[in-house]
Amino acid sequence: MLTKIIIIVGIVFLYFKYQNFWQQEKYVISIAVSRTPLSTPFYVAKSIGAFKDTCVTVEFDEVIGGQMAFAKVINGEVDFGTTSDSVIAFQSLAKKSFVTHAMFVQSDNDVKLMTNPSEKMKTVIDLKGKKVGVTKGTASEYFLSTLLAIEGLTNEDVELYYYKPEQLINGFINDEVNAIVPWEPFVFKAKQLLNDQIKIHDTKNLNTLSFNLISQNADSLLVEKAKCVIQGLSTAIEYIASHPEKSQKIVMDELNLTPSFIDWVWPDYIFKLGLNQSLILSIKSQATWAVEMQMSKYSEIPNIDAFIDSRAMLQVDPGAVSIPL
């Protein structure tokens, strides 16, 4: 009996002495998270402790817009960031040192065209000669160009005014522009604030926007950290699918949103991890557009594949990766 007690005590002692060797090493990382419902997987991950069983402890740095998140990554202020495929496309032209690790959400109705009803603009072609507010170098400006192209117009057929995303509404209210092209939640806020003084055009399915996890060019350690972030996102996305109402409540509390807004945007969102050809084609088409529009001093389309790093995703969900290795 005494021998058994000694053995048990010895096992307990060894467990507490060496448990740190058995536990996965934890890295403290920072992520610039754009304050939008598109970042829902991150908010859910934080709320349910999805990173707890991974190799990372995550610190959130909340910012307005994917451009700001991208800038913080490039400036070395954070380890990772969330940004749209449009920002990735435009920044790829500058050949900055960054990679995309995973796409975690898509929406085919996040960016919208809003006009003044008194202008009686029934279709996009009625924008010709009008003043249009956009956010330069983002999905906002690209989406406007896409809408104009469908009607045989170009950006030269309108007068562009550039605003920060949160200032587009003020530009409209102050009659500086006849139309604006914001993304959510600014579309909903404008609708709530102006009601019948603003018209939202039906542009669903005309463009798909994705949000992605990015970092500076990844060495093996950063890939390991990215893997653990993606593991947490995977857990969160599974939770979103299983508990949509609880997930919506998390986002509402995090962003101080109303149930009516969540009802407004939620049907347009597809939360799913991936790295596929559609992402690469989207980035290439937007980069090509930027060059053709002479939006920058760069005239050469870079090798977009160089901005995709699939190593982390392949370790978490290889079936979600469908790009050339």
Side-chain angles (χ1 to χ4, degrees):
M1 183 67 179
L2 180 60
T3 302
K4 290 182 179 180
I5 294 175
I6 293 173
I7 292 173
I8 292 172
V9 171
I11 291 173
V12 172
F13 173 77
L14 290 172
Y15 171 78
F16 284 105
K17 181 176 178 63
Y18 293 106
Q19 63 175 328
N20 289 334
F21 292 98
W22 301 334
Q23 291 177 343
Q24 189 174 24
E25 184 175 0
K26 300 285 282 189
Y27 303 100
V28 178
I29 64 164
S30 55
I31 303 178
V33 178
S34 179
R35 285 185 61 82
T36 163
L38 288 166
S39 296
T40 288
F42 283 91
Y43 298 131
V44 171
K46 180 171 68 171
S47 178
I48 68 173
F51 298 114
K52 182 177 62 176
D53 295 327
T54 74
C55 74
V56 292
T57 297
V58 178
E59 296 177 351
F60 285 72
D61 184 352
E62 298 196 42
V63 299
I64 301 296
Q67 275 188 326
M68 180 63 70
F70 184 93
K72 290 212 166 196
V73 169
I74 294 300
N75 293 335
E77 298 175 47
V78 295
D79 300 294
F80 297 93
T82 67
T83 196
S84 71
D85 50 343
S86 297
V87 174
I88 291 171
F90 302 146
Q91 294 297 336
S92 71
L93 295 173
K95 299 181 180 178
K96 300 263 181 85
S97 178
F98 75 95
V99 291
T100 304
H101 296 283
M103 177 174 61
F104 54 86
V105 63
Q106 290 180 288
S107 172
D108 64 358
N109 199 30
D110 194 68
V111 187
K112 300 180 179 72
L113 171 66
M114 309 183 78
T115 63
N116 190 330
S118 65
E119 299 278 351
K120 296 182 179 180
M121 288 182 274
K122 295 182 180 181
T123 66
V124 174
I125 201 167
D126 295 324
L127 287 176
K128 188 173 183 178
K130 302 295 184 181
K131 300 175 182 179
V132 185
V134 298
T135 301
K136 186 176 180 64
T138 68
S140 168
E141 188 171 12
Y142 176 71
F143 185 51
L144 173 64
S145 180
T146 300
L147 294 178
L148 293 173
I150 292 173
E151 298 294 343
L153 303 176
T154 70
N155 284 13
E156 295 182 356
D157 291 305
V158 300
E159 189 173 349
L160 290 180
Y161 283 67
Y162 294 116
Y163 298 90
K164 293 181 179 180
E166 66 273 21
Q167 295 175 346
L168 278 167
I169 299 174
N170 290 335
F172 188 89
I173 292 174
N174 296 331
D175 291 326
E176 297 168 359
V177 292
N178 309 110
I180 55 175
V181 187
W183 55 72
E184 300 293 357
F186 301 109
V187 176
F188 183 78
K189 289 180 179 179
K191 179 63 177 175
Q192 291 291 94
L193 183 64
L194 299 173
N195 199 10
D196 58 357
Q197 298 176 49
I198 198 163
K199 175 182 178 181
I200 302 175
H201 292 252
D202 182 10
T203 55
K204 185 175 174 63
N205 295 320
L206 294 183
N207 182 63
T208 297
L209 174 145
S210 70
F211 243 46
N212 308 269
L213 177 71
I214 66 164
S215 75
Q216 292 196 35
N217 277 349
D219 56 20
S220 58
L221 179 57
L222 197 53
V223 169
E224 175 70 10
K225 294 174 181 177
K227 179 197 74 174
C228 295
V229 173
I230 295 170
Q231 287 173 337
L233 291 178
S234 179
T235 299
I237 288 172
E238 290 176 4
Y239 184 91
I240 293 169
S242 302
H243 305 87
E245 293 183 359
K246 290 182 179 179
S247 300
Q248 292 169 17
K249 181 66 164 56
I250 290 170
V251 180
M252 285 189 287
D253 291 343
E254 186 73 36
L255 299 180
N256 193 28
L257 302 174
T258 62
S260 56
F261 172 68
I262 291 297
D263 291 341
W264 170 275
V265 299
W266 202 263
D268 297 324
Y269 290 170
I270 300 174
F271 298 106
K272 185 178 180 181
L273 286 171
L275 272 179
N276 52 42
Q277 281 297 113
S278 67
L279 173 62
I280 292 178
L281 290 174
S282 175
I283 295 173
K284 283 183 177 178
S285 64
Q286 293 180 74
T288 301
W289 166 79
V291 168
E292 291 176 349
M293 295 297 295
Q294 299 180 339
M295 288 181 57
S296 69
K297 61 183 179 181
Y298 305 104
S299 59
E300 181 181 349
I301 306 300
N303 176 19
I304 299 301
D305 293 349
F307 297 97
I308 307 293
D309 191 330
S310 62
R311 289 176 291 173
M313 268 295 296
L314 285 170
Q315 294 181 65
V316 179
D317 188 357
V321 179
S322 57
I323 58 175
L325 300 179

